[in-house]
Amino acid sequence: MTTTATKTQYEAVIGLETHCQLSTETKIFSNSSTAFGADPNTNIDPVCMGLPGTLPVLNQKVLEYAVKAGLALNCQIAPYSKFDRKQYFYPDLPKNYQISQYDLPIAEHGWLEIELDGEDGAPVRKRIGITRLHMEEDAGKLVHGGSDRLSGSTFSLVDYNRAGVPLIEIVSEPDLRSGAEAAEYARELRRIVRYLGVSDGNMQEGSLRCDVNISIRPVGTEQFGTKVEIKNMNSFNAIERAINYEIERQTAALEAGDRLVQETRLWEEGAQRTISMRVKEGSSDYRYFPEPDLGPIEVSAEQLAAWKGELPELPAAKRHRYEEDLGLSPYDARVLTDDRAMAEYFEATLAAGAPAKPAANWLMGDISGYLNNEKKTLADLPLTPASLAEMIGLIESNTISTKIGKDILPELLTQGGSAKMLVEKKGLIQISDPAVIETAIAKVLEAHPAELEKYRSGKKNMLGFFVGQVMKQTGGRADPKLTNQLLTKQLDG
Amino acid sequence: MLDREQVHKVAHLARLELTPAEEEQFTTQLGSILDYFEQLNELDTGDVPPTTRAIDVSNVVRVDALQPYPAREAILDGAPDRDGEFFKVPQIMGGE
């Protein structure tokens, strides 16, 4: 396809609606478990089933978690907030209404910052507005006629374990412009709720679900195009690909002179495309009204300050600090702050005296590699940050070489203990005494007259061979830099 | 004024099947209820803050403590139809 100067360029306008399950023990308005994967209808009770005569009562953890998420997203917390009934008729709702928040959500007017890779490796940072954050209950799950594909089935089976599980819904401003930005927004949101400990953010189990609103418009225009909603993405990559697919589809339609229709489309992971989903007519008229069974919520200034005081340093703040104060590259900063446990391990290693860059390298390289291979987490690791700092210190002070560091790491990773004691026990302290290295060199030269001859007749790349032999001679303990120097002198001299 | 068209729409949203006679009857009855509420509009409420509830109580919350409901079977049996551990409901949309 060739682009000519007259061709209209389009840009995408994207907003995300994210549902995030809060990590509480019990449901939002009743005492049943929220555990994932239980047998059907084991976590049900009269309240979440909406039986007559029952009274919902708000779980205080839900309020705390929602407010903390709102604060972390730089929102204003409503001084007065309430719940509403959203009416719709579908068997995933036992009550025929969902308790949600309509016009007075708990939090509004926030933002989060995403960081993407720029062209020259410099970070590109962008603020994405958060329109609102509100609390609501999840719905149940339908199983169609015993088999998902059984056509002609006249009934559905319902599991209400998920009905009443606490959610926060986070609505972004239409500030996103590409699939990559949207996926990064969703990742940052997950990082934040995980840092806060308010959600596990597990997309496979449905703890984090993103719906995308997307339209395209000619670059430079203000007016929005026809909005399409995309659902059913269960990974960050799927969000990115679904958006890219939709941008292409909508651009092609407009270029062909077709009209786009406002609709909901489903992402098909297998076919890597979106398909139109039939939506029931009139289903968007939810007839909201204030939930009469639940009182309003007024978060006091003292309570708000207390919860604010409990917030950890968040990923964006950590990235800035790692880049600006510790001098790490944006890439390193992003990798280390992706997971709170990793960031805290890293910081504990620095607190124990290690310099930032080597600590970052060890953690992102050998240690992450080990954890990935063994399917382990930092919490399982016998190696303490203090011991890692000790090992880095031994390398920095030339007591051991980096090579020896790598050799002893597996034992430290599996056994833990002091790096220094391990080095001493194994007699691995680096040989930095020139006299000792020279003795080893002399032995090597004596044992390999033919190779020496070759070297002296011009094959300078034999140097590596001799270095290797000296290392072998000294059990890998010879100071590599000094060995190189001394060897070159001997060979050339 | 409430008209029959609106009653028809609300009935549809609430999944109620009304006969034409009932629609006529409810249009009149609901209309007079709404008229009654209309009278409240005659009051000047400019200085009264809006309220969403009649009882002045807020922040009613409970601790997040697990207490499984013991009579699960009774809830399942209370439904019009069940299939083992599931509630059984009529298929809603055709096909999927």
Side-chain angles (χ1 to χ4, degrees), chain B residues 11-96:
Chain B
H12 169 72
L13 289 171
R15 302 297 180 271
L16 293 174
E17 276 181 50
L18 300 184
T19 64
E22 282 171 327
E23 274 183 13
E24 199 59 57
Q25 188 190 1
F26 288 135
T27 305
T28 316
Q29 289 183 351
L30 289 170
S32 61
I33 294 170
L34 290 173
D35 284 348
Y36 182 70
F37 275 89
E38 276 299 308
Q39 292 175 27
L40 295 174
N41 277 341
E42 292 166 19
L43 295 171
D44 179 9
T45 55
D47 294 333
V48 182
T51 184
T52 55
R53 20 204 325 112
I55 309 165
D56 188 19
V57 59
S58 61
N59 300 337
V60 179
V61 293
R62 48 170 248 277
V63 293
D64 182 28
L66 186 63
Q67 203 185 324
Y69 185 69
R72 169 201 185 216
E73 276 301 311
I75 296 180
L76 277 160
D77 274 338
D81 202 1
R82 64 181 278 188
D83 183 345
E85 300 182 292
F86 288 100
F87 293 94
K88 195 170 169 183
V89 299
Q91 179 79 297
I92 295 305
M93 304 211 199
E96 285 277 298

Side-chain angles (χ1 to χ4, degrees), chain A residues 80-133:
Chain A
Y80 184 93
S81 179
K82 69 171 167 74
F83 284 99
D84 299 276
R85 288 189 181 179
K86 176 180 178 177
Q87 343 277 323
Y88 68 91
F89 294 88
Y90 200 68
D92 63 356
L93 279 187
K95 305 191 288 292
N96 284 344
Y97 60 85
Q98 177 191 27
I99 303 179
S100 181
Q101 295 197 281
Y102 183 50
D103 56 339
L104 296 173
I106 189 70
E108 285 183 287
H109 311 303
W111 53 268
L112 63 73
E113 183 188 273
I114 57 170
E115 184 175 306
L116 294 133
D117 251 333
E119 278 173 19
D120 49 0
V124 177
R125 291 172 181 165
K126 185 172 172 183
R127 255 187 203 197
I128 309 301
I130 304 286
T131 314
R132 57 182 279 158
L133 177 154

